[in-house]
Structure formats: structure tokens, C-alpha cells
Amino acid sequence: MVLLVLPVRRMFPAMRVKIAGLDPHQQYYIAMDIVPVDNKRYRYVYHSSKWMVAGNADSPVPPRVYIHPDSLASGDTWMRQVVSFDKLKLTNNELDDQGHIILHSMHKYQPRVHIIRKDFSSELSPNKPVPSGNGVKTFSFPETVFTTVTAYQNQQITRLKIDRNPFAKGFRDSGRNRTGLEAIMETYAFWRPPVRTLTFEDFTNMQKQQVHFIYIVPNLESRLKTLYN
Amino acid sequence: MVLLVLPVRRMFPAMRVKIAGLDPHQQYYIAMDIVPVDNKRYRYVYHSSKWMVAGNADSPVPPRVYIHPDSLASGDTWMRQVVSFDKLKLTNNELDDQGHIILHSMHKYQPRVHIIRKDFSSELSPNKPVPSGNGVKTFSFPETVFTTVTAYQNQQITRLKIDRNPFAKGFRDSGRNRTGLEAIMETYAFWRPPVRTLTFEDFTNMQKQQVHFIYIVPNLESRLKTLYN
DNA sequence: GGTTTCCCACCTAGGTGATAACTT
DNA sequence: AAGTTATCACCTAGGTGGGAAACC
């Protein structure tokens, strides 16, 4: 008998967005996928504290889509809350059959948020690419690009994760819980104020509207674990 | 500031049913509600180990429906699995606003399983009675009648719950884990073999079919906790 | 005196980074 | 040498009945 162990990890910090401009009475799915940023493989260079190109990317992995568990819901419901993707799980096992998002280690990725009108969702599946067309709108934010690792390369990332993730409380250095974090965030030049505003033509056939996404915490490195048998 | 504490308890043992005879391609909700068996209030008489009538029932409580979390799903999906209601929660707080099922202590109740065709579900809500009509079929089993309590009256019930509920493992008497249980089950004359078969006219406009419900564990006493502020 | 509330130790279930062992 | 895997102590989160206290 073979027992499958599933060392899969959540993405942390999680993407959190606030949405406006939907038709309150229309039904929508909201989904996330994660796409490669380029065709490169990266290596962390300690003395310069930077990720450097180190060859070409590995071959593509099966496409996976995380369908937000509150789906299906009305525009009204989606807009009332901050939509959090904290239960999204990553793995580097290309044979994963649990619907988790599969990524290569040491590559750069970009999460995308998809808003999918119900009547356009017949093709929606965790194992197929998100359909495109009139009933689907896709958003991504440059500041959410992250690099995958199996062991943390940068001690500041580790510190940030320990300070922010409730499940890592056991590793907290009870001396400087909050103040240390501020300094770390300042270190990251790509950190941005938490509110982003995008405009797009509302796909409910109403007039143009503003859509606000509040992106609260950026992703920096995201640790993978593997599934094996 | 007022913090609400929610001493609500799961129903245990949970109802578990196996369903056949649905249209595999049709979409269904499955739901449970719990209805009074009579208009009496009961008291446990120790020397005879029996529940005896002790006055009339309390005034009715707000109707609540537990919609199975796998809803909405196809007939095919429902029929492939044992459908378990183990996350259904009970409370005796009539002001509960979390959608839990509200019951009076020391009353007799009967759980009912409802199978609701999707196109008939517009009225379905946790706070409204289950609609009736052609697209809804309701089932109940006499052996699942139970009595509500806030503290267990019968030591054999306590024993059975401790032995069967994983969350009560800390109270187990590691001497007679299994054999003691058998004796307890024999004590209950209303215990039945685990498979029940009912026939009904399939409401998907197909020919008559058999519907099998496997009711696996009977409910005996179900402990309530209250919500307060 | 019977019933209910409140708090507790003790569980299940599962999400952390550290670290030693393993792989390439 | 560098990257990955397996295991671990330590958390969060939440479901148990016991039993003292409170209620009525």
C-alpha cells in the first residue's frame, strides 16, 4: 500500500482584493491563476542579495485555476467583502491530482485575478485555462510578482513571513514583533501603497465604471513543497 | 464591546445517507431540517431509564434548514458518495443568527432529508421552511428520533458518544474501546440494520426507481449548548 | 432540586520554518 | 556545492464531555 503525503504549501502573504463596478444582481465566479513572467530560471546571489538569471525556464506545467470558494456569488456579495485567496495552495509536483497550482521552483511568477460572468462559465474548471472573451476580465499587479523557492534564500523574507503568518508564531522573536517589520517593508522598493485603482469597461453592459482593487500584502518568495509517493 | 460566544454543538452521531435513483445529469440541493415529533416536553426518569412526558412543548422556534455544503451538485455526484450531515450544528438559542438549527431542550425531534431539484430551489434559504411540491422529495426514518438535552441523562449515551466521536478521545476508557460499544448498541431495541430501502416515483420524469438510504448511525440524545452575550 | 451555563483539559486537523538527511 | 525532501516542535482553529458555578 502506498500512502500519498502531500507537502503542499499555501501562498503567503495571500492576495487580497476589493472589487467595485460589478452588476450587483449578476452572478460571478472569481478565480486566480499564476503565470510565468519570463522564460528564465533564477538563482539567488547572496553577496548582492539579488535574483540573477541562471539559464532557461523548465518545461511548462499543467495549467491550474484556483476557483475562489465563495463562488458562485452575486456582484453585490463580492463587492461587500475583501476577497482573499489565502487558501490557495502551491506545489512543485507536476503529477499533483488535487487541483493545486503547480509551479517550478526558482522561477518568477505573476498571479492573476479573473472575474467570470456566470453565463460565460461553462468552460470553467480547475484543470483548464481560464476562458477568455467578453464575459471574463483579467487583472494583474506588477508588485505581486514573486519567486518560488523550496528553502528561503533571503532572511528578510523569512522574518516577514514569521512576523505576519499566525501559523509561524512559534518562531517569533518576541522582542521586536512590530517595529522590525516596518523596517523590512521599507527595504522592498517595490512595495506600494495598498490601494490601486483601475478603470475598465464594465462587462455588464452598463456605462464605464471604476474598479478598485485593494492589494494589501505583496508576495515576495513563495515556498513550495512537493508531493511524492 | 460585547463579544458573542457561540456554544453551539454538532449533531452526533451524524445522519449519513446513500442515495440512488436520481437523474445523473440533473442538479440538486440536499438539505436537512429537524421537526418536532409531538407537542410534549420530556423528563428522564432514572429508576426506569426512560423518557416520560412532563408537560406540553415550548412555543415553536424559528425554522432553520441546513443546506448540505456540497450543494449544488449533480445527481451523479450525490449518488457516488455517502452524504454526511456531520457539520450540522444545533443550538437552543432562539436568537441565533448564524443559521444554526434551533431546538428546545428536553423535546423529541425527527431529522428529515430533502432532495430539491435545482429548478425548484428559488425559495431555498437557511431561514425559511423547505418548499414543497413536485421538485422536492422528503424522507425521514423513525429510528433517527432523538431527545435534546443540555447535560447527558443516560450514562450509556455518554459512553457511546465518547467511544465513537474522535473529538472525545480524551475521555476514552482505554480498556474496552470496542467490545463495550457492542453491548451498548444491543441495549437499544430501536437500533436497526444499517440499510434502508425506500421506493418513490422519481421526480426527474423517468420511470419508477428504487432509492436507497443507508442510515448508518442512529441519533439518541443530542446535546445542545447555548449562545449568550 | 433539576437544569443550564461557563470554563477547562484534552483531543482532531492542519499550517509554520528549522534542520538533518538525501539527491544530483 | 546546491537544491530538495522528510520530519519535527510549535503554532492556529475548533470539537469533546466533565464538573463547578449559576440559574430558576
Side-chain angles (χ1 to χ4, degrees), chain B residues 113-117 133-139 200-203:
Chain B
V113 177
H114 306 274
I115 304 184
I116 302 149
R117 217 168 52 202
N134 241 347
V136 180
K137 290 287 180 183
T138 296
F139 303 91
F200 73 116
E201 183 171 317
D202 181 59
F203 49 104

Side-chain angles (χ1 to χ4, degrees), chain B residues 43 92 105-106 150-151 166-167 169-170 225-226 228:
Chain B
R43 167 188 305 275
N92 62 349
S105 185
M106 311 186 75
T150 57
F167 294 106
K169 203 178 206 174
K225 286 282 190 173
T226 60
Y228 64 101

Side-chain angles (χ1 to χ4, degrees), chain A residues 214-226:
Chain A
I214 300 185
Y215 178 61
I216 295 164
V217 184
N219 295 287
L220 308 167
E221 287 178 10
S222 219
R223 182 169 175 174
L224 304 170
K225 287 283 189 173
T226 61

